[in-house]
Amino acid sequence: MAPAFAVISGAQVNEVLRGREKHVLELIEAAYRWHGEGATINPPSYFLRFPEDPSSRIIALPASIGGDIGVHGVKWISSFPANVAASLPRASAVLILNDRETGYPIACLESSIVSAVRTAASAALAADWLSRGRGPGRPARVGFVGTGLIARYIHTYLTATGWSFDEVGVHDLSADSATGFREYALDAGDGAVRVHDSAESLIRSSDLVVFATVAGTPHVTDPTWFDHNPLVLHVSLRDLSPEVILASANVVDDVEHCLKANTSPHLAEQLTGNRAFLSGTLHDVMTGAVTPPADRPLVFSPFGLGVLDLAVGKHVYDEVSRAGELAVVPDFFHDLDRYGKR
């Protein structure tokens, strides 16, 4: 018998994940550990680009994860920045889960929430591990460069997993976006939220800097902006010039994945012809194999691994199934007899 095929809506995904930030963080940490131990398969992502619309793209992230999760799959995620002007989110996505034994697809999940959650959990996990040993306490001044949905999710995951801030800084090229994020942060309980008119002002005023933009090329080029040695979550990957990268200690989630597609670390590699500027991976830090220096800016650049989406997506699938709420598509697999006898 072929496995059943189900469709899981964004509302169902949200219902499972809302308020479960600490558990999702544990899932992401486990996925990183399995990846570091070789219990995953995570081939390169595939980019579908459009000559007539170079700012837009659709990306396929195939992956397989073992351990207690045991599932294959692929995330198909689009980024169309022009959507924002039409009051649509920039990104949309689906996640296909495939049965480990038969390879049959077993579910299609609305995945923009899964993608945002795993991105935010990865950032919060990195902030936790990388802030250890860099001072008497966690950074108390956070600044967000780019204030869209991903920034909101990262803020949510930081605060839900024990972070508190004396000051929240906000900078966005869109004044409306910056104002909207400020109002969100105030509603979330942040006491002091300041909108900065420049990235330089925000960076110099922040001990923890979060880049969550749609920048395609570096726009932050002066290493002196980071002279106070902040922790930088470089989630959008292309904001920092090679000079800033080379003046910093650098941790990535996966070396081969991150040093591709003209990310800032990839540009640094092209400039120098080597990877000596890399301190190691987040898994290296988690296992104690690497201790990043505290006397330089520390930049975390996560490419975003498909195995993280699988870890979160399979959890959602299991929870919806356990609740008896899987929307199974009848007769999705139809011609199942090799010789057409059925």
Side-chain angles (χ1 to χ4, degrees):
M1 295 292 294
F5 181 80
V7 175
I8 299 176
S9 70
Q12 290 176 297
V13 172
N14 186 63
E15 181 65 25
V16 171
L17 298 178
R18 185 179 55 202
R20 302 294 307 281
E21 290 86 2
K22 291 182 179 179
H23 179 67
V24 173
L25 202 75
E26 292 171 358
L27 282 175
I28 294 302
E29 180 166 351
Y32 272 129
R33 292 188 184 277
W34 284 323
H35 184 66
E37 294 164 5
T40 65
I41 303 171
N42 209 113
S45 302
Y46 298 91
F47 288 71
L48 178 62
R49 298 188 182 275
F50 312 98
E52 73 283 2
D53 185 10
S55 68
S56 299
R57 63 185 186 269
I58 308 179
I59 312 172
L61 289 83
S64 175
I65 187 166
D68 296 333
I69 297 176
V71 70
H72 317 307
V74 61
K75 178 172 73 171
W76 182 238
I77 181 166
S78 67
S79 173
F80 279 57
N83 285 351
V84 176
S87 299
L88 277 174
R90 170 186 60 84
S92 58
V94 294
L95 176 67
I96 301 295
L97 300 181
N98 292 76
D99 178 63
R100 178 166 58 177
E101 301 301 323
T102 66
Y104 270 71
I106 56 175
C108 175
L109 293 78
E110 194 288 327
S111 197
S112 63
I113 297 172
V114 170
S115 188
V117 160
R118 66 84 150 148
T119 300
S122 168
L125 181 70
D128 177 26
W129 279 98
L130 297 177
S131 63
R132 301 179 188 186
R134 289 184 63 82
R138 285 175 163 178
R141 301 178 302 165
V142 63
F144 290 87
V145 181
T147 55
L149 180 142
I150 295 299
R152 172 166 61 86
Y153 269 83
I154 291 173
H155 179 277
T156 297
Y157 266 76
L158 288 170
T159 56
T161 53
W163 290 76
S164 59
F165 303 106
D166 296 336
E167 181 178 302
V168 176
V170 177
H171 173 67
D172 198 290
L173 295 179
S174 165
D176 289 343
S177 294
T179 300
F181 190 89
R182 179 180 182 276
E183 293 172 354
Y184 152 76
L186 289 171
D187 289 343
D190 291 318
V193 184
R194 176 186 171 192
V195 176
H196 293 258
D197 59 6
S198 70
E200 178 183 3
S201 171
L202 179 141
I203 292 165
R204 290 187 182 275
S205 303
S206 303
D207 307 308
L208 173 64
V209 182
V210 180
F211 284 95
T213 74
V214 294
T217 56
H219 58 97
V220 175
T221 60
D222 189 343
T224 66
W225 295 3
F226 302 84
D227 280 348
H228 57 301
N229 299 331
L231 172 58
V232 180
L233 303 178
H234 187 210
V235 175
S236 38
L237 283 176
R238 295 172 177 85
D239 301 89
L240 305 179
S241 70
E243 291 75 17
V244 173
I245 293 292
L246 296 174
S248 307
N250 291 277
V251 173
V252 298
D253 57 355
D254 182 281
V255 174
E256 296 302 327
H257 282 78
C258 194
L259 272 67
K260 281 188 172 72
N262 288 330
T263 63
S264 295
H266 188 206
L267 295 179
E269 180 189 31
Q270 293 175 55
L271 180 64
T272 62
N274 63 66
R275 298 176 174 181
F277 58 88
L278 292 179
S279 297
T281 66
L282 181 59
H283 182 260
D284 291 332
V285 175
M286 290 163 52
T287 58
V290 166
T291 301
D295 60 351
R296 281 183 286 162
L298 177 55
V299 177
F300 176 60
S301 298
F303 194 82
L305 301 173
V307 295
L308 305 183
D309 297 278
L310 291 186
V312 175
K314 184 58 162 50
H315 169 68
V316 170
Y317 174 86
D318 289 342
E319 289 300 301
V320 174
S321 178
R322 188 175 295 115
E325 297 176 354
L326 278 179
V328 174
V329 180
D331 300 321
F332 185 81
F333 301 109
H334 174 63
D335 194 354
L336 297 173
D337 186 87
R338 187 172 185 179
Y339 301 106
K341 296 181 179 178
R342 286 184 295 185

